[in-house]
């Protein structure tokens, strides 16, 4: 009993002083808490506010300036405001013309619902074919633009074409602003954002295609991807508060889904991003919880996109879904394994192999059970591209001859070097990559990462957001080195990463740590260089490139194509409304936009039927008989044939990549030795022979219109054989 009472008495005796101590400590906390605002000088608070305010203002001004620049350059290039509607529409080339034509169709529809129905059950574009144009051509941007144009009452203020172009240019402003913010988040200074924008605009030939093809899907989609990357960069930061983390998460979710809806190839780019996050997580460079939250965003966006994109099976068989599911299954296998045990280390070693195996297995299983048309021609193209297969197929060889699908030229690297972008990018990438390797070896050796990294530590490789960007830019750069068209995905982030590096004191400090600099205080020198180097770069860029930009805006160019204007005018005035036109896919897209008449083919390369149609119609430039061409055209119910002199007499393209050369190879109509056999064609080239107007060509085709560039032939329904 005495032993029991002792502690109780002791506890009671301790309670009073504890309460008094609490009161005294509470008073002390109140006393200490009241002067907290005074401990932070007002001028420091003002500096912080001024820094954020000026940075946000600079980001917005940069985006608006770029929009104004694009608008002014587009006006000067095409003299757009002084053109008639037909001449404006001709400036939309190739697949850009298709996208804008459906925007026009939506505005002409009696109601939005009716317009959507006509696009999803479209049988007025391609002969003998009903297509879901919204799904097949990713027309969600046109749907949004049309409903905004009518809902905002803009039809009383601005012409439809200016509204459409204005939205695309506005998105490019958001694109630039997002890159600005990403570089700012990584470096801690808005000076990096300014340098990012400067390099982006100076290298715009290699950073964007918006000047040449405004309605392209990537011009609508990539701004949202840039916003997603900016949000992901903030989300991965270690010192982010809960409110900032929540905002980044919501922005990332919204931009990921929107990006996926805008571009049919978006899930491939997100697949590369998921690989980057997987590698980041594998080396324990970031909390796994954050990375797996991003995986959940991917899954949500994929399934929501699948439902709202008319059950698009391409999203179910995408490598992104297979990878994310494999990553989550691999995580479940590791949940019950205690950390720092031998089994845990073994699981870490085999985790990479496990994820790769599961990803491939799941993707194969999905493709076995889910009916899909997942761009089979892309795999065949890659096989031929890397020399794994040989083919005489016209479509494959035509794709290989496209400049955007070849390896980058020396001019590309020369342009990036002249603007000083490439040298600084390589410097920043090497430093960050080596620092990342150091961090990985520390983790392998069992050393833990520091919770808080100071400038004096010089360990930029311990920041997860930096490592993510290093891995991501290496993946994108590897693809850009193979296919030049992918440089538009890589080069903007080259601008951002290079600008971040030269403006980051932490990067300079990492370099000085390796060099063991002792003559000058390294921290002071890092702070000086992080301001001096970007300032010098900015001044040199201003001196060399700003006059060129001004000169471009001052030069008044003119888009002059009277032959095409005359052709479209003749079709609208002379051709029957129910007529079907055949010709090159690029010209057919222009006819669809400018006249609304039905065509036999379109410049679309994501569908096997369209690819086959394009190849068949291109036979008008091959060495085939008049009867063969007639049978091909009538099989598509064509009424008129348009022969383009530029293709028939093509001389500018490299020999072997001209359309007529590729057709001769595919048809076996070239003199080539195959064993002891020589092949040749007994017929002349159709596009030449039909112009001579003699039998049997005149029996099948009657010329009804021609100018310097185009020859239009009516396809005879009743053939009269003349001697």
């Amino acid at each position: 009993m005495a032993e029991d009472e002792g502690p109780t008495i002791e506890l009671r005796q301790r309670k009073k002083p504890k309460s008094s101590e609490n009161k005294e400590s509470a008073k002390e906390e109140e006393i200490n808490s009241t002067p907290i605002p005074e401990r932070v000088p007002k001028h420091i608070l003002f500096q912080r506010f001024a820094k954020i305010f000026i940075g946000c203002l600079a980001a917005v001004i940069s985006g608006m300036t770029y929009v104004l620049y694009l608008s002014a350059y587009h006006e000067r290039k095409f003299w757009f405001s002084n053109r008639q509607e037909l001449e404006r529409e001709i400036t939309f080339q190739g697949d850009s013309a298709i996208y804008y034509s459906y925007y026009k169709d939506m505005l002409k529809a009696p109601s939005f619902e009716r317009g959507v129905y006509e696009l999803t059950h479209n049988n007025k574009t391609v002969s003998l074919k009903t297509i879901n144009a919204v799904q097949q051509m990713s027309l969600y941007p046109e749907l949004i633009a049309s409903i905004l144009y009518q809902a905002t009452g803009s039809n009383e203020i601005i012409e439809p074409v200016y509204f459409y172009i204005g939205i695309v240019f506005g998105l490019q402003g958001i694109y630039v602003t997002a890159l600005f913010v990403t570089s700012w988040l990584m470096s801690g200074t808005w000076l990096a954002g300014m340098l990012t924008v400067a390099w982006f605009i100076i290298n715009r030939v290699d950073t964007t295609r918006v000047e040449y093809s405004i309605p392209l899907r990537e011009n609508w989609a990539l701004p949202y991807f840039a916003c997603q990357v900016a949000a992901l960069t903030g989300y991965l930061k270690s010192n982010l508060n809960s409110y900032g983390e929540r905002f980044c998460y919501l922005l990332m979710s919204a931009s990921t889904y929107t990006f996926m809806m805008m571009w049919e190839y978006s899930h491939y780019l997100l697949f590369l991003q998921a690989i980057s996050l997987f590698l980041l997580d594998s080396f324990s460079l970031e909390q796994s919880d954050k990375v797996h939250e991003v995986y959940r965003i991917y899954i949500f966006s994929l399934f929501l996109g699948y439902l709202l994109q008319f059950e698009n099976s391409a999203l179910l068989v995408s490598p992104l879904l297979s990878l994310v599911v494999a990553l989550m299954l691999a995580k479940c296998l590791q949940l019950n394994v205690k950390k720092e045990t031998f089994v845990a280390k073994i699981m870490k070693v085999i985790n990479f192999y496990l994820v790769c195996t599961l990803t491939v297995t799941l993707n194969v299983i999905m493709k076995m059970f889910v009916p899909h048309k997942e761009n089979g021609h892309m795999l065949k193209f890659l096989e031929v591209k890397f020399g794994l297969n040989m083919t005489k197929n016209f479509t494959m060889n035509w794709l290989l001859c496209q400049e955007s699908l070849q390896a980058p030229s020396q001019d590309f690297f020369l342009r990036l070097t002249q603007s000083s972008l490439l040298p600084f990018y390589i410097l920043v990438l090497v430093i960050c990559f080596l620092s990342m390797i150091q961090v990985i070896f520390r983790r392998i050796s069992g050393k833990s990462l520091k919770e808080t990294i100071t400038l004096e530590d010089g360990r930029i490789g311990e920041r997860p957001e930096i490592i993510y960007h290093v891995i991501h830019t290496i993946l994108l750069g590897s693809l850009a080195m193979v296919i030049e068209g992918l440089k538009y995905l890589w080069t903007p982030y080259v601008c951002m990463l290079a600008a971040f590096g030269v403006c980051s004191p932490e990067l300079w400090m990492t370099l000085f740590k390796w060099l063991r600099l002792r003559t000058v205080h390294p921290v002071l020198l890092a702070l000086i260089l992080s301001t001096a180097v970007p300032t010098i770069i900015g001044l040199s860029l201003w001196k060399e490139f700003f006059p060129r930009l001004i000169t471009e805006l001052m030069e008044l160019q003119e888009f002059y194509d009277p032959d095409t204007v005359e052709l479209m005018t003749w079709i609208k005035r002379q051709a029957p409304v129910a007529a079907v036109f055949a010709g090159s896919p690029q010209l057919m897209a222009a006819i669809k936009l400018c006249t609304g008449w039905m065509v036999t083919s379109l410049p679309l390369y994501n569908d096997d039927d369209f690819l086959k149609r394009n190849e068949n119609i291109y036979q008008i430039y091959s060495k085939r008989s008049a009867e063969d061409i007639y049978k091909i055209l009538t099989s598509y119910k064509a009424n008129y044939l348009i022969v383009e002199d530029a293709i028939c007499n093509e001389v500018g393209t490299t020999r072997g990549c001209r359309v007529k050369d590729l057709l001769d190879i595919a048809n076996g109509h070239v003199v080539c030795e195959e064993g002891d056999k020589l092949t040749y064609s007994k017929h002349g080239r159709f596009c030449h022979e039909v112009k001579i107007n003699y039998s049997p060509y005149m029996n099948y085709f009657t010329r009804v219109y021609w100018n310097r560039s185009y020859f239009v032939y009516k396809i005879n329904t009743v053939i009269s054989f003349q001697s």
Side-chain angles (χ1 to χ4, degrees), residues 267-476:
H267 56 90
Y268 292 112
L269 190 52
L270 292 174
F271 173 67
L272 294 180
Q273 188 182 74
I275 294 176
S276 304
L277 293 173
F278 164 58
L279 295 176
L280 181 67
D281 185 33
S282 296
F283 299 115
S284 300
L285 299 176
E286 172 58 10
Q287 298 176 358
S288 296
D289 293 339
K290 281 189 175 182
V291 174
H292 283 270
E293 283 295 329
V294 181
Y295 295 158
R296 293 188 184 94
I297 292 176
Y298 291 151
I299 291 182
F300 173 78
S301 300
L302 281 168
F303 281 107
L304 189 60
Y306 168 76
L307 295 175
L308 296 183
Q309 290 183 9
F310 306 94
E311 298 183 356
N312 185 7
S313 58
L315 296 180
L316 293 183
V317 298
S318 68
L320 174 62
L321 180 60
S322 301
L323 175 62
V324 172
V325 173
L327 287 167
M328 291 192 165
L329 289 175
K331 182 184 179 183
C332 292
L333 294 176
Q334 295 179 348
L335 283 179
N336 297 325
V337 179
K338 294 182 179 180
K339 295 182 179 180
E340 305 302 330
T341 61
F342 177 76
V343 177
K345 292 180 179 180
I346 294 296
M347 289 298 294
K348 272 288 183 183
V349 172
I350 67 173
N351 184 57
F352 185 84
Y353 173 78
L354 179 65
V355 169
C356 293
T357 306
L358 280 174
T359 301
V360 175
T361 304
L362 289 172
N363 196 251
V364 171
I365 292 174
M366 291 296 290
K367 288 183 177 180
M368 288 175 58
F369 291 97
V370 177
H372 67 285
K373 296 179 180 179
E374 179 51 12
N375 300 319
H377 62 281
M378 288 180 59
L379 297 177
K380 297 177 183 177
F381 165 76
L382 292 175
E383 288 179 2
V384 179
K385 173 75 175 177
F386 294 111
L388 301 176
N389 196 359
M390 297 292 291
T391 181
K392 292 184 178 181
N393 181 269
F394 168 79
T395 301
M396 289 298 106
N397 289 326
W398 184 82
L399 290 173
L400 286 171
C401 285
Q402 298 305 300
E403 184 179 353
S404 61
L405 296 178
Q406 296 177 3
S409 62
Q410 293 182 353
D411 293 338
F412 167 62
F413 299 104
L414 183 61
R415 287 192 299 268
L416 297 186
T417 304
Q418 287 175 342
S419 64
S420 72
L421 174 60
L422 190 59
F424 283 108
Y425 167 73
I426 294 175
L427 173 66
V428 173
L429 182 62
V430 168
I431 294 174
C432 292
F433 182 77
L434 293 178
S435 182
M436 179 185 73
I437 297 299
Q438 280 187 334
V439 174
I440 293 172
F441 277 112
R442 287 196 193 100
R443 295 296 295 171
I444 292 175
S445 60
K447 296 179 181 179
S448 60
L449 301 179
K450 294 184 66 174
E451 293 183 2
T452 56
I453 306 172
T454 60
L455 180 59
E456 290 81 0
D457 295 328
R459 296 185 182 180
I460 198 167
E462 292 191 10
R463 291 174 54 187
E465 72 274 15
I466 304 300
I467 305 310
Y468 155 71
H469 280 286
V470 170
I471 299 173
H472 200 191
T473 190
I474 290 175
L475 293 177
L476 291 176

Side-chain angles (χ1 to χ4, degrees), residues 570-584:
W570 180 86
I571 292 174
K572 295 173 74 172
R573 292 178 179 176
Q574 302 295 330
V577 177
V580 178
F581 284 84
S584 70

Side-chain angles (χ1 to χ4, degrees), residues 18-36:
K18 189 175 180 182
S19 61
S20 62
E21 285 176 6
N22 287 339
K23 290 179 181 178
E24 289 176 3
S25 62
K27 290 180 180 179
E28 287 178 1
E29 288 177 1
E30 289 178 5
I31 294 170
N32 293 333
S33 62
T34 50
I36 281 180

